[in-house]
């Protein structure tokens, strides 16, 4: 199905990561292959080459050959590409054309002139598989990132493509949705579709994967069968910068670092429901102690990000209040004392260099300069400090936003899905980073579906569920 021979690719001068060097591989029809390796090693670039996005969208210098179904993907007509290749991007927002879920799912079928009854039948089938039937008439802009990811997967599968490419499809999904994703991929694979997945959460794909291909610094460095990969020890996986479930054992000796003398945050009856739907949060109570790390978890769309936006003063609760000790905190006070690291890093990158991003909006002092260099070192960003943030990989952008939060004076730090684009090495860096914040007496909240991160660093867990109709 796919044949790559001595394939090399280099972006322009401003974008060095993601380059490939002499990659040769064959992927058989109906096979599921998982691409793995450190952030910025070239996995996404490989997907772009196979899909034809390079050179049609991304410029650079390419050598060697790439064939999909016997033909260079760049030579496919738009109709051929739509019918043969489905792709789910790392950021689902970047591939949406319509405002409503149902319209987005119908978009590709309508463009190719499929009969309306066939489109409707396929939408209903996919919506049932992905359990998004109740979201079909929802505005995409009002949905959680995990819900958007489900819509992107359904949209890519509408035409039953011969080849399905997925770039970190599990990053924003809760545990139940990940299980659904694997079930769906198994069904797609059994129907004869070839699947290539680029991921950092690797063991979850064992039920569907045939092979794991490891990319390192732009080269194919290792190949494992499913059985060989499943047998890898934690130490062996870490040699290649890969995540392993046994890494959670390292977090078992964690000690609670609650800071005496600092006032905890309390939530009393916090309620916020969106007018367009019944979704939101109702009557939520919580206590957050300074010097501790709290995981905020629950299914996609249960209001985790909404609750944290209220905590950080980005929203006002419709009912209830946020307190520090026994004092009610105004929205302005909550905003001043907190820092929210968003799930989508592009929303928080404003300047012309990584170094400037870390100190944005603050007067430069010796203390701030020292802190910024500490953050660059902590997240392995020192060699990127003069690079433009737009030229970085998704995982690198995420590390920049985390480093910027490290440089603030905020007492409350909220991290929204901080491991979604991080490899094993950078998950370890994140753990050290969060531990430092906690030792400094910060109150840290981690919105996450990542059980590994919860096991490694979190002291407490708040679980949100779907609100019930009243």
């Amino acid at each position: 199905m796919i044949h790559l021979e001595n394939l090399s690719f280099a972006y322009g001068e401003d974008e060095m990561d993601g380059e490939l060097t002499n990659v040769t591989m064959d992927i058989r029809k109906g096979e599921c292959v998982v691409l793995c390796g450190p952030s910025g090693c070239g996995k996404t670039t490989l997907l772009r080459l196979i899909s034809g996005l390079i050179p049609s969208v991304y410029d650079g210098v390419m050598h060697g050959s790439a064939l999909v179904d016997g033909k260079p993907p760049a030579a496919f007509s738009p109709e051929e590409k739509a019918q043969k290749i489905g792709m789910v991007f790392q950021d689902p927002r970047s591939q949406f054309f319509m405002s409503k879920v149902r319209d987005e799912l119908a978009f590709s079928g309508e463009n190719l002139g499929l009969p309306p009854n066939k489109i409707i039948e396929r939408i209903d089938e996919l919506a049932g598989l992905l359990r998004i039937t109740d979201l079909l008439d929802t505005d995409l802009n009002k949905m959680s990132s995990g819900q958007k990811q489900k819509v992107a997967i359904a949209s890519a599968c509408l035409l039953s493509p011969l080849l399905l490419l997925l770039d970190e499809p599990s990053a924003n999904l809760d545990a139940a949705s990940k299980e659904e994703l694997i079930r769906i991929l198994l069904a797609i694979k059994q129907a004869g579709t070839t699947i290539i997945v680029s991921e950092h959460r690797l063991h979850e794909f064992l039920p569907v994967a045939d092979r794991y291909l490891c990319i390192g610094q732009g080269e194919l460095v290792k190949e494992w069968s499913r059985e060989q990969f499943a047998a890898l020890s934690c130490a062996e996986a870490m040699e290649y910068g890969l995540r392993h479930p046994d890494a959670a054992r390292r977090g078992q000796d964690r000690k609670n670092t609650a800071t005496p003398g600092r006032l905890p945050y309390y939530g009393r009856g916090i309620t916020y429901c969106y007018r367009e739907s019944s979704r939101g949060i109702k009557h939520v109570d919580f206590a957050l102690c300074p010097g501790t790390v709290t995981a905020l978890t629950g299914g996609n769309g249960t209001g985790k990000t909404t609750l944290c936006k209220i905590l950080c003063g980005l929203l006002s609760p419709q009912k209830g209040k946020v307190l520090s000790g026994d004092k009610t905190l105004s929205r302005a006070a909550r905003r001043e004392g907190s820092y929210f690291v968003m799930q989508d890093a592009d929303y928080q990158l404003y300047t012309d260099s990584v170094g400037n991003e870390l100190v944005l909006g603050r007067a430069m002092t010796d203390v701030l300069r020292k802190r910024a260099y500490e953050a660059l070192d902590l997240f392995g960003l020192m060699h990127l400090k003069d690079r433009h943030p737009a030229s970085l990989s998704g995982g690198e952008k995420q590390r920049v936003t985390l480093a910027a939060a490290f440089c603030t004076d905020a007492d409350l730090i909220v991290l929204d899905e901080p491991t979604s684009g991080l490899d094993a090495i950078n998950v370890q860096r994140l753990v050290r980073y969060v531990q430092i914040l906690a030792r400094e007496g910060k109150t840290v909240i981690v919105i996450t579906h990542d059980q590994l991160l919860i096991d490694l660093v979190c002291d407490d867990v708040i679980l949100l569920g779907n609100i019930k109709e009243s």
Side-chain angles (χ1 to χ4, degrees):
M1 180 67 184
I2 298 170
H3 175 67
L4 310 180
E5 186 168 351
N6 294 325
L7 184 62
S8 298
F9 181 81
Y11 291 100
E13 293 181 0
D14 291 335
E15 189 169 353
M16 304 301 293
D17 291 328
E19 296 184 352
L20 296 174
T21 306
N22 295 326
V23 173
T24 296
M25 67 172 68
D26 287 291
I27 298 174
R28 297 178 292 275
K29 183 178 180 180
E31 190 176 23
C32 178
V33 169
V34 177
L35 298 178
C36 53
S39 298
C41 69
K43 300 186 297 296
T44 297
T45 299
L46 196 55
L47 293 184
R48 289 172 180 172
L49 283 159
I50 294 171
S51 68
L53 289 173
I54 293 174
S56 63
V57 176
Y58 298 94
D59 292 327
V61 179
M62 174 179 161
H63 299 287
S65 65
L67 299 177
V68 175
D69 201 24
K71 187 176 178 180
F76 287 156
S77 68
E79 292 80 8
E80 284 181 301
K81 194 175 293 185
Q83 290 176 322
K84 290 190 175 185
I85 303 174
M87 185 165 182
V88 178
F89 298 161
Q90 206 166 3
D91 178 6
R93 295 173 303 126
S94 63
Q95 66 188 95
F96 293 149
F97 294 92
M98 312 301 286
S99 60
K100 298 289 184 181
V101 173
R102 191 187 304 274
D103 295 337
E104 180 62 34
L105 297 185
F107 182 77
S108 58
E110 290 176 338
N111 274 334
L112 291 180
L114 296 187
N117 62 317
K118 293 292 185 183
I119 296 175
I120 293 170
E121 181 182 324
R122 186 67 173 148
I123 288 175
D124 290 341
E125 178 186 353
L126 289 168
L129 280 171
L130 282 158
R131 300 185 187 179
I132 57 172
T133 301
D134 61 330
L135 299 174
L136 286 176
D137 296 311
T138 303
D139 188 330
L140 281 162
N141 292 321
K142 304 295 183 182
M143 297 170 64
S144 72
S145 293
Q147 291 168 331
K148 290 175 183 175
Q149 204 141 18
K150 289 184 181 182
V151 173
I153 292 168
S155 179
C157 294
L158 184 85
L159 299 176
S160 301
L162 295 176
L163 173 63
L164 181 62
L165 309 174
L166 303 112
D167 198 353
E168 300 218 31
S170 74
N172 300 314
L173 299 182
D174 57 42
S177 296
K178 289 175 188 175
E179 291 179 4
E180 291 168 15
L181 172 63
I182 299 303
R183 188 189 74 246
I184 292 162
L185 293 182
L186 278 168
I188 292 170
K189 179 183 172 184
Q190 288 167 1
T193 297
T194 305
I195 302 170
I196 304 178
V197 181
S198 170
E199 262 290 350
H200 290 300
R201 294 165 173 79
L202 301 170
H203 288 74
E204 292 160 353
F205 288 85
L206 283 169
V208 69
D210 294 298
R211 288 186 293 154
Y212 287 78
L213 303 181
C214 185
I215 309 296
Q217 296 182 337
E219 299 180 0
L220 179 60
V221 295
K222 192 68 177 179
E223 175 182 337
W224 299 278
S225 68
R226 173 176 54 228
E227 294 75 18
Q228 289 170 332
F229 187 83
L232 288 179
S233 68
C234 185
E236 289 170 330
M238 285 296 296
E239 286 181 17
Y240 295 93
L242 307 180
R243 295 178 53 155
H244 193 285
D246 288 349
R249 295 179 183 175
R250 302 178 186 181
Q252 291 178 351
D253 297 329
R254 264 188 358 263
K255 294 182 179 179
N256 190 298
T257 57
T259 305
R262 290 201 180 191
L263 297 176
Y265 287 88
Y266 295 107
R268 294 291 180 262
I270 302 295
T271 297
Y272 190 97
C273 295
Y274 293 94
R275 295 178 182 176
E276 298 83 358
S277 67
S278 60
R279 297 179 183 276
I281 52 176
K282 281 188 178 180
H283 315 305
V284 175
D285 297 329
F286 58 83
L288 304 169
C289 295
T292 63
V293 184
T294 300
L296 182 57
T297 189
N300 294 126
T302 52
K304 300 181 294 297
T305 300
T306 297
L307 178 58
C308 287
K309 284 182 177 179
I310 290 171
L311 261 173
C312 295
L314 301 176
L315 291 174
S316 292
Q318 294 160 346
K319 292 181 182 178
K321 54 188 176 180
V322 179
L323 305 97
S324 177
D326 58 0
K327 178 184 177 183
T328 300
L329 291 175
S330 67
R331 184 176 177 182
R334 299 198 306 273
R335 203 159 47 228
E336 184 178 352
S338 63
Y339 194 97
F340 195 129
V341 179
M342 298 180 184
Q343 198 167 353
D344 297 312
D346 287 327
Y347 285 147
Q348 287 185 285
L349 299 173
Y350 306 103
T351 70
D352 59 354
S353 73
V354 169
N356 287 338
E357 202 68 51
L358 270 55
V359 298
L360 177 65
R362 303 176 61 192
M364 179 58 71
T365 64
D366 290 340
V367 172
L368 178 57
R369 184 178 290 105
K370 180 180 178 182
R371 184 76 168 183
Y373 275 100
E374 184 181 354
L376 290 169
D377 184 60
L378 182 61
F379 280 101
L381 295 169
M382 193 68 73
H383 67 294
L384 300 174
K385 68 183 178 66
D386 297 318
R387 284 269 299 276
H388 197 292
S391 71
L392 305 180
S393 71
E396 289 165 343
K397 290 177 182 178
Q398 198 159 13
R399 282 149 53 195
V400 172
T401 59
L402 291 166
F406 189 76
C407 295
T408 70
D409 296 322
D411 292 322
L412 173 67
I413 306 290
V414 176
L415 311 177
D416 196 350
E417 292 289 358
T419 61
S420 62
L422 300 187
D423 55 32
I425 294 170
N426 286 302
V427 169
Q428 290 184 329
R429 285 172 169 158
L430 175 68
V431 168
R432 290 198 298 272
Y433 159 87
V434 171
Q435 289 171 337
I436 291 171
L437 292 176
R439 285 198 298 270
E440 293 175 345
K442 309 283 188 182
T443 302
V444 184
I445 302 177
V446 180
I447 303 173
T448 187
H449 298 300
D450 191 339
Q451 189 60 47
L452 175 61
L453 180 63
I454 294 173
D455 293 340
L456 283 171
V457 79
C458 295
D459 303 296
D460 301 297
V461 177
I462 297 174
L463 174 64
L464 293 185
N466 288 310
I467 63 175
K468 296 179 180 179
E469 297 286 349
S470 54

